[in-house]
Amino acid sequence: LAGSFETGSLAGCRVLVTAGPTREAIDPVRFVSNRSSGRMGYAVAAAAREAGARVTLVSGPVALDGPAGIERVMVETAEEMRVAVQAHLTGCDIFIGAAAVADYRPAQAAAQKLKKHNATLSLDLVRNPDILAEVARAHPRPFTVGFAAETEDLDANARTKRMQKSLDMIAANRVGPGQGFDVGDNALTLYWEGGSESLPHQSKTRLARELIARIAQRFHDAPP
Ligand code: CTP
Ligand code: CA
């Protein structure tokens, strides 16, 4: 058995994975976030480890245990995730951005708990850095894989995202009530330069193994 790990498709490779949501503080007790459970990213990290890679998992707040044999770095905000990713990028062969990074954060977190003085409340939000796009712009860069969470126009949106962020591969999934986020199973369509493939609906554990197999194949055939 040990031999099959050593000769796995990612033996000797270093893989960096982001997973889970991020939390962006509104005040000391409230935050902006999303429905990501982290399960897809954790399954991807575990599958990369099974394939023989040395895996670092940078994780937002989730209710999951760290997979065995993996270095896990816990973060809360997008900015913290960005710093942790940059700190672990050296020597990384493959980057897989599975985190549901909050696109915006409150322009300023209130120092004290907000009081309900008015009938309505507006929050000023500012854009967070795009961690995945930054990794793809690095020199040298790892084989860079992103996810695309979409509620509509899956195919067109995923292709555009892959091109705009110069990704080696993108894995697109539908999200919405009972789909994609916060459920145990999922389906993915993969896009790369000159090709695409749909992986059927199945448990995130099995889906992650299929995804890792495709990534390993493309990484060896067409390194970045
Ligand atoms: N991502 C990231 N940093 C961000 C936003 C997104 O690293 N600040 C990564 C995600 O981990 C994912 C990919 O970018 O791998 C796409 O995320 P998604 O939310 O689907 O797309 P966005 O580029 O954020 O665009 P939009 O939300 O407008 O569709
Ligand atoms: Ca987004």
Side-chain angles (χ1 to χ4, degrees):
L1 191 65
S4 71
F5 279 112
E6 277 152 34
T7 57
S9 55
L10 292 180
C13 292
R14 290 194 49 187
V15 175
L16 182 56
V17 181
T18 66
T22 65
R23 288 180 180 172
E24 314 295 330
I26 297 170
D27 69 17
V29 296
R30 304 184 177 99
F31 53 79
V32 174
S33 192
N34 59 65
R35 296 183 188 278
S36 168
S37 67
R39 273 184 275 191
M40 192 67 223
Y42 274 55
V44 167
R49 165 79 194 138
E50 278 175 20
R54 252 181 71 190
V55 181
T56 301
L57 174 60
V58 177
S59 172
V62 296
L64 301 171
D65 292 329
I70 285 169
E71 178 195 13
R72 182 168 70 153
V73 180
M74 297 300 297
V75 298
E76 185 156 317
T77 67
E79 183 55 33
E80 286 169 14
M81 184 172 279
R82 171 175 178 264
V83 168
V85 164
Q86 291 297 329
H88 291 86
L89 206 54
T90 309
C92 167
D93 299 297
I94 299 172
F95 176 83
I96 306 170
V101 184
D103 291 325
Y104 295 91
R105 66 177 182 276
Q108 224 175 346
Q112 305 300 330
K113 186 181 166 217
L114 296 182
K115 288 295 186 184
K116 53 177 179 188
H117 290 307
N118 302 308
T120 63
L121 171 70
S122 301
L123 288 174
D124 270 331
L125 302 175
V126 296
R127 275 275 280 278
N128 270 329
D130 191 315
I131 299 165
L132 176 67
E134 272 184 24
V135 169
R137 283 195 298 268
H139 298 286
R141 69 173 236 180
F143 186 91
T144 307
V145 182
F147 274 74
E150 307 291 348
T151 57
E152 59 180 358
D153 298 334
L154 189 76
D155 184 86
N157 282 333
R159 288 177 191 276
T160 305
K161 257 177 212 176
R162 193 188 75 78
M163 301 290 279
Q164 283 178 346
K165 301 197 196 191
S166 318
L167 307 177
D168 296 293
M169 186 185 283
I170 197 160
N173 65 151
R174 277 186 195 287
V175 293
Q179 269 191 313
F181 275 22
D182 211 12
V183 292
D185 45 31
N186 199 4
L188 290 174
T189 305
L190 313 183
Y191 302 85
W192 59 89
E193 186 67 49
S196 69
E197 182 183 357
S198 288
L199 304 180
H201 197 269
Q202 55 197 305
S203 75
K204 286 182 175 177
T205 302
R206 291 173 53 177
L207 193 58
R209 288 183 186 138
E210 294 219 12
L211 172 62
I212 286 296
R214 301 312 187 281
I215 291 172
Q217 191 183 349
R218 292 293 303 164
F219 169 68
H220 292 302
D221 289 355

